[in-house]
Amino acid sequence: MEKAAMADLENLAYRRGVLIPAFKLYGELAGFYDYGPIGIAIRNRLEAHWRRTFIEGLGNLEVSTTIIAPENVFEASGHLSNFTDPVVNCKKCHASYRSDKLVEEFYEKKGDEKMAEAARHMPFKEIDEEIKKNKIKCQKCGGELSESEPFNLMMATKIGPYGGVQGYLRPETAQGIFMDFKQVFRDGGYKLPIGIGQVGKAFRNEISPRRMLIRMREFSQMELEYFFDPGVESLEINGEAVDESIFSEKINMLTAEMQENGSSEKYVQMTIKECLSKGFIPNNLFAFCVYKELNFMRELGFEDDRIRFRQVLKSELPHYSKGNFDMEVEFYGSFEEVSGTAYRTDFDLMNHQKHSGEDMSIINADKKLVPHVVEVSFGLDRLFWTLMGAKLFKDEKRGWDVLKLNDYTMPYDYAVFPLQKDEKLRDKAIALRNELVSKGMRIFFMQSGSIGKRYAKADETGIRYAITVDYQTLEDGTVTVRDSYDASQKRLPLGSIAEK
Ligand code: GAP
């Protein structure tokens, strides 16, 4: 089966209860989306698998911290002064644009992928030179554009009545984890290394939201902050030494050098060990996280040749980072970052110590220290959207699309359909649904529409198995189970499904 086009994905998302543009009744505002019942069912599965992999599977901890914080938190974290993107304004109609993206799009349209890639990491001055040289104008009125200036992406709010305290919606979930780290560590009597994670909303006043869930203004992150002692070389996770043979795993790498030389290769293959020895990866814990991220993606069903790790250039490193890898996946012709791995050192804890006056050091193995941090930060919505893009196929024969999700990602274990509008069939199907639900399965029940239409719905929404209850079921207790991957059907006894 061929991959479906991006327009098919967008169309399906709106038709099948996957996504709804937020506040549609009042006109849309770019960068905000609601999830419909199918969308949230799939997203919940991604979140559950992240939790299983990065929290429970590694003996890590989870917290839930506030979305709003007062200004001094972001003074300490550096976001107030550093969390900016380059913006240009139209001198005529005052429309605003993210200037690096204007240059990137200009070269993308020309088919010059090398320059488009370069534009993603250009300093302000070069961006402005490109805008001038290529006569890039306002997309709305054709007016001349101003020079790039930094625009802070944080969304401001006031806390309390009559002006109150200046606050901001968090631009990353991480800061709450840093502020609570010491208390969580001390209260639990834990040992380093220990990861503390959180799933939650983050907000960025993006200048140009784009590609639906790829760049939003309100989105969800799944972040893990791994606290460790940089003075300890050996790596123990969950009380066990890590088997270093995992570092022989090959990854697809887009190195800084390749980007700087404008290489036309999408990536080269190298082992994690080579990345360590060449200094691309700063330490063993970072290497371990890269290995886990890759395997997490494989389990979700992403193919290896569509995943690459991009070494983030020194010039574009976030203010807190001493080394970043972006994990990117191919999404309709370009690579999009779905997670960032960052060596945040002790930057955040030390800054909170400095600004709050609170000693952030802990005692670990009789040593007093402020731990260092490796962060793995996934964008949940991007992960969701790129997975949908990777798994949606065209089926000319069926006449509709098929979303091939796997056991980790499918929204429901089964769809249950009574064949026709007949009370006896409906009652039998409801009894089956109730039994399966009582066994902890997730069931999608639908009784209206022709059976063909209901199969189409299951196929397009990633529900792999559809059970049809028909007249034979009433006689011999068997049902038809249809597999959406290839539309094949099997006759199975009801008991064998309930026992699964
Ligand atoms: N705490 C580190 C951090 O926030 P980031 O690279 O800015 O790092 C992490 O964001 C992840 O969050 C990205 O890899 C991406 O998947 C997601 N993300 C960032 N900005 C986003 C946006 N505007 N819309 C959707 N997802 C976004």
Side-chain angles (χ1 to χ4, degrees), residues 39-53:
I40 195 62
I42 299 171
R43 199 185 82 172
N44 284 344
R45 300 294 320 283
L46 294 183
E47 187 181 326
H49 193 49
W50 175 87
R51 193 167 277 115
R52 205 161 34 235
T53 308

Side-chain angles (χ1 to χ4, degrees), residues 186-237:
R186 209 180 37 200
D187 291 354
Y190 299 105
K191 270 181 66 190
L192 296 179
I194 187 83
I196 305 181
Q198 134 155 266
V199 182
K201 290 277 189 181
F203 300 81
R204 297 183 188 178
N205 211 351
E206 296 285 358
I207 303 157
S208 330
R210 63 179 194 110
R211 297 188 109 184
M212 293 178 71
L213 305 196
I214 296 295
R215 197 182 313 130
M216 307 163 80
R217 288 178 165 144
E218 175 179 334
F219 58 99
S220 294
Q221 291 185 316
M222 305 186 288
E223 299 206 283
L224 180 69
E225 308 302 324
Y226 237 127
F227 298 87
F228 71 106
D229 178 351
V232 175
E233 279 238 338
S234 60
L235 180 59
E236 269 190 15
I237 297 288

Side-chain angles (χ1 to χ4, degrees), residues 83 171-174 204 206 213-221 223 225 318 320 324 326-327 337-340 342 344 375 377-383:
F83 198 58
E172 58 170 3
T173 71
R204 297 183 188 178
E206 296 285 358
L213 305 196
I214 296 295
R215 197 182 313 130
M216 307 163 80
R217 288 178 165 144
E218 175 179 334
F219 58 99
S220 294
Q221 291 185 316
E223 299 206 283
E225 308 302 324
Y320 48 73
N324 257 61
D326 286 348
M327 185 171 58
E337 172 196 342
V338 291
S339 76
R344 295 183 76 132
E375 170 184 79
S377 174
F378 273 94
L380 176 52
D381 311 275
R382 270 194 204 172
L383 184 64

